[in-house]
Amino acid sequence: MSISEIAGVGFLPSQSLEAIESRAQAATQTAAQADFSSWLGSGIDKVNEQVLAADKQVRDLALGRTQNLHEVMIALEEAKLSLSLMVQIRNRALEAYQDILKMQI
Amino acid sequence: MDYYTAFAISGSGMAVEKLRLDVTAVNIANANSSRGADGTLYRPLRVVTSMRVDPRFEDALRAYGVPLGGVQVDEIRPTDAPPRVLYEPGHPDADDRGYVTVPGINPVTEMVSLMVATRSYQANVVALNAAKFMAQRALEIGGTR
């Protein structure tokens, strides 16, 4: 009677844990940098640009350089809307992060 | 069409109504001018507008097959209203018989133009606010607060 070698039960593949970890880390880093974080960064930059443009228009209005009052108000509203969209995205991202943080392991 | 498109359309409407108000104000201010800018008698002005197909809305144009856009000013045209003739013998611009010619500006027409411009401006603001409220409601989707 021979006892055969006990193989892995399928929980862990035959690679070392460190290799998997480093690979996963690299993958998430590159993917995140390419997709979500750059997208978020460019979005925040755009919102900032809009807020700065609205700020400039308000300053021009105060200096009497503006022709139309409604254009200033529209720029302000656009900036406000973009900012609230950004805040909502931040809320969702934070919610997701907290959900992961509360996860039972 | 994003929400900024709706803002741009309403904004163009507001700009046109503001111009209409300015032109009406010019008409009222010149109601008693016996001389025009270039020697001829001043004639009441009217703003002529047309729909503007905005290159920014070309995606919407392709999607629905109809031109979309705001409004643009084609021209500010003098009307052919007959001038009023007043009897004012002491006036410097009076003719031999003592008559002075002033532009045929009807105060009632101009007041109505003012009201129309104001109300149209208001309607554009309401349309813009509706677009803004829709965007804000959209941001509330799935939110807890």
Side-chain angles (χ1 to χ4, degrees):
Chain A
M1 197 174 88
S2 67
I3 298 167
S4 64
E5 189 193 350
I6 297 169
V9 285
F11 182 64
L12 284 175
S14 52
Q15 309 168 3
S16 73
L17 204 60
E18 286 83 9
I20 299 167
E21 258 182 359
S22 69
R23 216 172 45 188
Q25 219 168 24
T28 46
Q29 260 179 4
T30 52
Q33 272 167 5
D35 300 326
F36 186 70
S37 73
S38 68
W39 174 79
L40 193 67
S42 72
I44 290 172
D45 282 348
K46 267 185 218 160
V47 172
N48 192 34
E49 268 168 34
Q50 267 184 326
V51 172
L52 289 177
D55 184 57
K56 190 185 170 297
Q57 290 224 30
V58 171
R59 227 176 305 144
D60 281 354
L61 177 71
L63 291 171
R65 287 197 212 124
T66 309
Q67 298 290 322
N68 283 317
L69 189 60
H70 62 260
E71 274 167 20
V72 181
M73 294 309 291
I74 289 172
L76 282 175
E77 280 305 322
E78 282 179 0
K80 190 173 147 190
L81 212 54
S82 298
L83 194 73
S84 43
L85 174 65
M86 201 194 74
V87 169
Q88 289 298 329
I89 290 168
R90 170 242 178 227
N91 287 350
R92 297 298 190 281
L94 206 64
E95 230 170 80
Y97 171 72
Q98 278 171 348
D99 280 351
I100 292 168
L101 210 64
K102 279 185 258 169
M103 204 178 277
Q104 299 285 330
I105 301 172
Chain B
M1 271 174 75
D2 59 0
Y3 282 98
Y4 299 145
T5 317
F7 287 1
I9 291 172
S10 296
S12 72
M14 281 182 239
V16 163
E17 296 310 329
K18 173 70 169 51
L19 181 71
R20 232 187 270 281
L21 182 102
D22 289 347
V23 167
T24 313
V26 173
N27 287 343
I28 293 174
N30 281 291
N32 295 314
S33 302
S34 52
R35 294 173 202 174
D38 51 352
T40 60
L41 192 67
Y42 177 84
R43 289 196 288 165
L45 302 172
R46 288 282 175 274
V47 179
V48 181
T49 57
S50 69
M51 208 191 93
R52 178 186 61 190
V53 179
D54 201 303
R56 283 176 294 176
F57 310 151
E58 267 182 28
D59 291 343
L61 190 138
R62 267 198 293 275
Y64 305 113
V66 285
L68 289 170
V71 62
Q72 68 180 6
V73 176
D74 278 352
E75 55 175 338
I76 300 176
R77 190 191 293 168
T79 57
D80 293 327
R84 288 181 293 143
V85 180
L86 309 174
Y87 183 63
E88 263 186 66
H91 197 283
D93 284 335
D95 61 6
D96 299 341
R97 294 179 298 141
Y99 286 103
V100 181
T101 313
V102 293
I105 291 164
N106 186 353
V108 178
T109 313
E110 301 305 327
M111 287 315 286
V112 171
S113 297
L114 277 186
M115 282 164 64
V116 168
T118 313
R119 294 299 176 191
S120 303
Y121 194 96
Q122 202 175 2
N124 278 298
V125 171
V126 170
L128 190 143
N129 278 343
K132 191 192 85 179
F133 281 127
M134 276 173 85
Q136 282 177 338
R137 292 295 95 81
L139 288 177
E140 284 176 13
I141 292 173
T144 49
R145 59 199 138 157

